[in-house]
Amino acid sequence: DEMRSLAPAKNSLTAARNAAMTSVSKRLRQELEKELLKYLLKYGHRNFDFKEGRDVIQMNVADVILSTLDAQELHFQTEVYRKMLDTYREQRAELGEGVEVPAHLFINHPDPAVCNAAVDILTSDDNYVPSKLWEQKEVHVESIEEILAQGVPKAVILYKSNAIKKLIDEQMQRLASGQLTEEEELEATTLINTLNCEKTNISHKVQ
């Protein structure tokens, strides 16, 4: 009897822990979406040099972000950020690559939530403005291009990693439900292993 009474408590504890982890993962995903939008809205039209082995390739900020999202079939989960991304895509398609998408389209957007989010993103502090003091002391200050070369690929990789973690969590919950057939359990386990390998590969790229 005592063992039976402990089982529901253990299950509820597991459920609470899973809910807490999901909440943290969701907040992280929102922050990563905001970070990607910041790069798009502020620097989407700019290029940066990306080192690939011995070669240096010039890449466009928006092209890197959008092509990766499309190739991996990743979709923003935060509604207001998804609207902003859709607006950016539409405007970029009209204006063409390398042309800055005007900020006023977001600040004066018909949806107040988009307006507020745009103001938050566009006015958020980023340490990209070199200090006059640093210049006087001849300290090397990274240029915008250098910061983009590090920040953009890393933000994209972290977002992809977060999306993979979400998929792993979903499969773990399926297994924990105890309602899968033997074949479905094998399928879920195989998928988890594949996703974990992908996640490990990604973590090496971030380091």
Side-chain angles (χ1 to χ4, degrees):
D1 288 348
E2 189 178 341
M3 290 300 291
R4 279 201 297 270
S5 65
L6 284 174
K10 186 180 178 184
N11 289 341
S12 63
L13 187 64
T14 303
R17 187 170 65 240
N18 287 342
M21 288 172 65
T22 301
S23 177
V24 170
S25 181
K26 185 179 178 183
R27 284 200 302 275
L28 175 60
R29 195 178 181 93
Q30 287 175 341
E31 285 301 312
L32 289 169
E33 288 174 356
K34 181 180 176 182
E35 182 79 358
L36 291 175
L37 275 172
K38 179 187 76 176
Y39 284 123
L40 287 174
L41 268 58
K42 290 186 172 186
Y43 311 107
H45 58 294
R46 301 185 71 143
N47 295 333
F48 62 89
D49 290 334
F50 181 74
K51 276 189 176 181
E52 193 167 26
R54 293 184 178 182
D55 299 326
V56 177
I57 306 165
Q58 193 165 82
M59 306 185 87
N60 174 261
V61 171
D63 192 47
V64 169
I65 294 172
L66 299 178
S67 63
T68 303
L69 292 177
D70 291 343
Q72 302 296 325
E73 295 184 0
L74 298 173
H75 307 284
F76 279 11
Q77 301 297 305
T78 313
E79 186 180 354
V80 64
Y81 294 156
R82 190 165 59 244
K83 282 185 180 180
M84 293 175 75
L85 183 63
D86 289 344
T87 300
Y88 187 91
R89 284 181 184 276
E90 290 165 10
Q91 293 300 319
R92 186 171 182 265
E94 286 182 23
L95 297 168
E97 184 179 314
V99 180
E100 185 173 5
V101 174
H104 71 80
L105 293 171
F106 301 93
I107 295 170
N108 301 320
H109 196 277
D111 185 340
V114 170
C115 300
N116 292 335
V119 170
D120 179 40
I121 290 169
L122 292 166
T123 59
S124 62
D125 288 332
D126 45 26
N127 303 315
Y128 297 169
V129 182
S131 161
K132 292 290 181 188
L133 183 65
W134 291 349
E135 290 172 4
Q136 289 167 8
K137 291 185 178 293
E138 296 183 0
V139 174
H140 171 70
V141 178
E142 289 184 318
S143 67
I144 296 288
E145 285 73 19
E146 287 174 310
I147 290 165
L148 293 176
Q150 293 177 22
V152 174
K154 187 171 182 178
V156 168
I157 288 168
L158 287 173
Y159 188 71
K160 183 181 174 184
S161 177
N162 181 265
I164 289 173
K165 184 182 181 305
K166 182 172 180 285
L167 290 174
I168 292 171
D169 290 345
E170 286 171 359
Q171 294 305 315
M172 293 290 282
Q173 286 172 12
R174 284 185 71 212
L175 284 173
S177 71
Q179 297 176 350
L180 302 183
T181 64
E182 194 173 324
E183 187 178 337
E184 287 171 335
E185 280 187 11
L186 179 61
E187 182 185 288
T189 305
T190 304
L191 182 54
I192 288 168
N193 291 337
T194 303
L195 291 168
N196 273 323
C197 287
E198 180 68 11
K199 198 162 176 282
T200 302
N201 290 337
I202 287 173
S203 68
H204 290 154
K205 291 179 184 177
V206 177
Q207 291 170 2

